[in-house]
Amino acid sequence: MAEALRDARREPGECTLVAVSKTFDAEAIEPVIAAGQKVFGENRVQEACGKWPALKAAHPGIELHLIGPLQSNKTREAVQLFDAIQSIDRVKIARAVAKEMRAQDRSIELFVQVNTGEEPQKAGIFPGQADRFIAQCRDELELRIAGLMCIPPVDEEPSLHFALLEKIARRNGIDGLSMGMSGDFDVAIAFGATHVRVGSAIFGARDMKIAKASS
Ligand SMILES: *Cc1c(COP(=O)(O)O)cnc(C)c1O
């Protein structure tokens, strides 16, 4: 990351590493916290609720991001546990999160997930509907949108998707860009990522059976 930031003539602190700990238990996460990592990502609310309350209690200052789809019946737990939700992609969820933040008197960072590849099986609002959705979140629900997030199609050149996400963010006056994973975080940093979500490069390969079930 340091090298990629330097190559892009960006400052060292301009990109946050979100360590993606999905499928790994507390025993595997502890050494990463001990090494100084503070920001973590999980893709399932239920799995995160099983391991993170204790980890957060033991290590103050941890910031936890939800990077996977959120069901509206999990909104309460999600707003309680997570410090950021990166997967806001429909009005129903945005409304439920807004309501829950009011009820809990808690403010967390919100990112809108954009399905830049318009893949039917993938979460995220399509690029053509993003401006309107962002405006709705801001104007009707009074939500602050901290950033945009995307997961490019596995078989496509990611830079096209990173550039598209940056363009949508810029025209909407949004600063945060969550893009780039183990295989392409350096490319994402060149395209302006403020958050990279890196799992296997930190924790090692995931058990594919578990990873599939939880994706
Ligand atoms: C699992 C996951 C990652 C991390 O992927 P790696 O290739 O292991 O770095 C990043 N973003 C999301 C949304 C994920 O689900």
Side-chain angles (χ1 to χ4, degrees):
M1 283 180 69
E3 245 170 60
L5 282 161
R6 199 172 51 233
D7 289 350
R9 297 193 163 71
R10 299 178 61 194
E11 296 298 320
E14 280 184 20
C15 187
T16 299
L17 171 62
V18 180
V20 178
S21 48
K22 65 186 183 198
T23 78
F24 289 95
D25 60 13
E27 215 168 286
I29 297 169
E30 287 279 5
V32 181
I33 296 174
Q37 180 63 22
K38 297 259 186 232
V39 186
F40 289 84
E42 288 281 345
N43 71 335
R44 288 180 74 215
V45 176
Q46 205 158 336
E47 182 189 337
C49 284
K51 59 190 176 186
W52 278 102
L55 280 167
K56 277 184 124 187
H59 305 282
I62 294 283
E63 188 182 307
L64 195 60
H65 289 232
L66 178 62
I67 59 170
L70 175 59
Q71 269 78 50
S72 45
N73 64 349
K74 296 268 168 42
T75 314
R76 176 162 306 158
E77 289 151 292
V79 169
Q80 253 162 20
L81 180 66
F82 288 94
D83 304 288
I85 296 177
Q86 297 202 2
S87 50
I88 303 292
D89 66 351
R90 55 197 193 279
V91 175
K92 189 180 172 200
I93 279 298
R95 187 172 289 133
V97 168
K99 186 171 158 224
E100 215 29 74
M101 289 200 301
R102 271 196 306 276
Q104 296 183 28
D105 192 20
R106 178 169 158 76
S107 175
I108 63 175
E109 276 203 328
L110 303 178
F111 289 62
V112 167
Q113 183 174 350
V114 183
N115 188 346
T116 55
E118 305 193 13
E119 296 172 280
Q121 83 286 5
K122 204 170 260 178
I125 189 118
F126 279 17
Q129 284 144 28
D131 293 359
R132 185 164 176 272
F133 177 62
I134 292 162
Q136 242 176 327
C137 287
R138 288 169 161 170
D139 302 340
E140 289 172 32
L141 302 171
E142 297 179 357
L143 292 172
R144 200 185 95 74
I145 302 301
L148 302 183
M149 184 267 256
C150 76
I151 310 169
V154 284
D155 52 356
E156 284 182 30
E157 172 57 42
S159 57
L160 302 172
H161 296 271
F162 299 154
L164 174 59
L165 197 72
E166 195 275 335
K167 195 170 109 186
I168 297 170
R170 184 151 30 90
R171 70 175 181 237
N172 284 284
I174 291 173
D175 295 327
L177 285 172
S178 173
M179 54 192 201
M181 316 200 294
S182 292
D184 54 19
F185 67 89
D186 50 344
V187 180
I189 286 172
F191 279 83
T194 60
H195 296 70
V196 292
R197 309 177 309 269
V198 177
S200 47
I202 295 170
F203 289 97
R206 285 179 294 273
D207 181 327
M208 283 318 284
K209 281 201 298 292
I210 302 170
K212 258 225 172 70
S214 62
S215 70

